[in-house]
């Protein structure tokens, strides 16, 4: 038999390999404990080798594709979003509550965890916010740039952050009578990494803070309303 190849099949490993050889016999050679070896002629060897290499390349391509599809071991993990909602009845008309809440730079006067709000002079729909507070035993400080979306007068104010701490929210005003309204405040935020270990307790904690802020807002708005000349 002319120069050819040997196809080794390893049952325990579940794979095969081709090797070029110059066999001394065309008989079938068996290695009972290790593998089975088959001698092929030169022409058949090249044909089988091309087929085998094609399958190997195909398998390798699929393996690389699966590797690319798998996420990296140390890829950043997206934080969860939480949404908090609270509401309160306030003894002022919707128009007064709406006007008071629209004055963003006064928000730190009644919202406990907001330390500053600065409206940009050249872009009044944008404002920079700073949060400083002790949250569940952790002193935290965050800042963000927010855009006020188009409001609905006396009904809705809503916003979303453009940079910094990811958050969005809305304040809705529902008339109860000519002199009172119900305020619903909803805030959604991406849980900061520093607070991830206490994420389960974070929502009720912040909802309590938001309610406390609305209670302070009710006092703030009533004082403002008392200074408005009555018809």
């Amino acid at each position: 038999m002319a120069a050819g190849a040997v196809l080794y099949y390893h049952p325990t490993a579940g794979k095969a390999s081709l090797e070029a050889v110059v066999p001394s016999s065309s008989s079938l050679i068996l290695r009972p404990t290790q593998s089975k070896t088959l001698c092929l002629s030169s022409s058949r060897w090249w044909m089988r080798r091309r087929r085998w290499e094609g399958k190997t390349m195909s398998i390798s391509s699929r393996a690389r594709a699966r590797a690319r599809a798998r996420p990296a071991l140390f890829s950043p993990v997206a934080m969860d979003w939480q949404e908090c909602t609270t509401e309160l009845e306030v003894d002022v008309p919707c128009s007064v509550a709406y006007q008071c809440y629209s004055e963003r730079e006064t928000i730190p006067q009644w919202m406990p965890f907001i330390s500053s709000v600065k409206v940009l002079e050249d872009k009044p729909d944008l404002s920079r916010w700073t949060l400083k507070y002790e949250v569940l035993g952790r002193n935290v400080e965050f800042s963000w740039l927010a855009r006020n979306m188009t409001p609905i007068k006396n009904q809705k104010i809503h916003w979303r952050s453009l940079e910094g701490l990811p958050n969005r929210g809305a304040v809705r005003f529902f008339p109860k009578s000519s002199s009172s309204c119900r305020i619903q405040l909803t805030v959604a935020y991406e849980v900061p990494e520093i607070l991830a270990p206490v994420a389960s307790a974070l929502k009720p904690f912040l909802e309590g803070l938001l309610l406390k802020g609305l209670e302070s807002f009710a006092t703030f708005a009533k004082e403002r309303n008392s200074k408005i000349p009555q018809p």
Side-chain angles (χ1 to χ4, degrees):
M1 180 178 176
V6 179
L7 175 64
Y8 291 100
Y9 176 70
H10 306 270
T12 57
K15 60 182 181 179
S17 60
L18 281 170
E19 295 183 12
V21 296
V22 181
S24 56
S25 171
S26 60
S27 61
L28 180 66
I29 305 171
L30 293 178
R31 296 182 181 179
T33 59
Q34 297 274 332
S35 62
K36 295 180 180 180
T37 308
L38 178 65
C39 293
L40 309 174
S41 66
S42 178
S43 58
R44 292 178 63 197
W45 172 64
W46 282 110
M47 182 171 62
R48 295 289 179 88
R49 179 180 178 182
R50 290 177 65 85
R51 291 177 181 174
W52 179 259
E53 288 178 346
K55 291 181 180 180
T56 303
M57 291 177 64
S58 178
I59 293 171
S60 299
S61 298
R62 289 196 298 270
R64 287 194 296 270
R66 286 195 297 268
R68 287 194 298 268
R70 287 194 297 267
L73 181 61
F74 298 105
S75 61
V77 177
M79 294 292 102
D80 291 331
W81 277 73
Q82 287 186 347
E83 183 175 283
C84 299
T85 299
T86 190
E87 58 183 54
L88 184 72
E89 288 191 18
V90 181
D91 293 329
V92 298
C94 276
S95 57
V96 174
Y98 175 88
Q99 181 59 39
C100 290
Y101 216 112
S102 296
E103 298 171 1
R104 285 164 286 169
E105 293 188 347
T106 66
I107 290 177
Q109 296 181 31
W110 46 266
M111 186 59 77
F113 55 87
I114 300 298
S115 60
S116 68
V117 180
K118 179 64 177 177
V119 177
L120 275 60
E121 293 182 1
D122 56 336
K123 296 180 179 179
D125 61 324
L126 302 182
S127 51
R128 294 194 178 276
W129 296 60
T130 303
L131 178 156
K132 290 182 181 180
Y133 206 75
E134 182 179 325
V135 179
L136 301 174
R138 292 168 168 78
N139 292 317
V140 297
E141 179 175 347
F142 300 105
S143 61
W144 62 90
L145 177 67
R147 180 189 296 280
N148 262 32
M149 313 304 287
T150 303
I152 303 174
K153 188 175 181 180
N154 299 336
Q155 296 182 42
K156 181 181 178 183
I157 297 170
H158 55 134
W159 71 91
R160 63 180 178 87
S161 65
L162 301 180
E163 61 183 39
L165 179 67
N167 70 91
R168 58 182 179 269
V171 189
R172 294 175 174 84
F173 307 88
F174 304 94
K176 298 292 291 183
S177 69
S178 60
S179 60
S180 66
C181 66
R182 178 169 58 90
I183 302 175
Q184 183 185 76
L185 172 60
T186 300
V187 176
Y189 53 89
E190 186 180 76
V191 178
E193 186 175 358
I194 189 176
L195 297 177
V198 293
S200 60
L202 187 58
K203 180 176 179 178
F205 175 80
L206 287 181
E207 284 182 339
L209 283 182
L210 292 176
L211 180 57
K212 182 179 178 180
L214 283 186
E215 291 171 345
S216 296
F217 174 78
T219 302
F220 177 86
K222 282 191 287 186
E223 290 180 358
R224 174 71 64 85
N225 188 48
S226 67
K227 297 176 182 179
I228 299 175
Q230 302 298 319

